[in-house]
Amino acid sequence: HDGGWCVQSPLVMGRILSRLAAMYENPLRTYRNVEMAEPDLGLRLGDTVTLSLVGPARPYRVCGIQLTLDPDSGLSQVLSLRQLRP
């Protein structure tokens, strides 16, 4: 595949292919439905957060945010996260 009109350089296309191959060989963790103890309204899609969900603290990219307001329990926030590095 030549990358279409988005990728004009064979060098860049080679780098993209190498990156994609590495991502499929060793997939990184993703987590859905990570409930925040206290909602952080400053978080946006694409932000990087550092958490220790399993093992040592690692950087994660915020790829989903769900805010819910319940009359009984108040405001809650649930995140979807994707690990950035192994």
Side-chain angles (χ1 to χ4, degrees), residues 37-66:
E38 285 191 31
D40 182 354
L41 300 179
L43 283 177
R44 301 284 182 252
L45 291 177
D47 283 355
T48 301
V49 296
T50 303
L51 300 173
S52 56
L53 295 171
V54 176
R58 299 184 190 277
Y60 291 88
R61 175 78 25 94
V62 177
C63 54
I65 301 173
Q66 180 181 1

Side-chain angles (χ1 to χ4, degrees), residues 3-26:
W5 63 269
C6 294
V7 181
Q8 301 289 324
S9 164
L11 177 67
V12 172
M13 190 63 214
R15 289 180 181 168
I16 291 172
L17 288 174
S18 297
R19 169 96 171 138
L20 288 174
M23 288 173 63
Y24 282 107
E25 264 183 38
N26 301 313

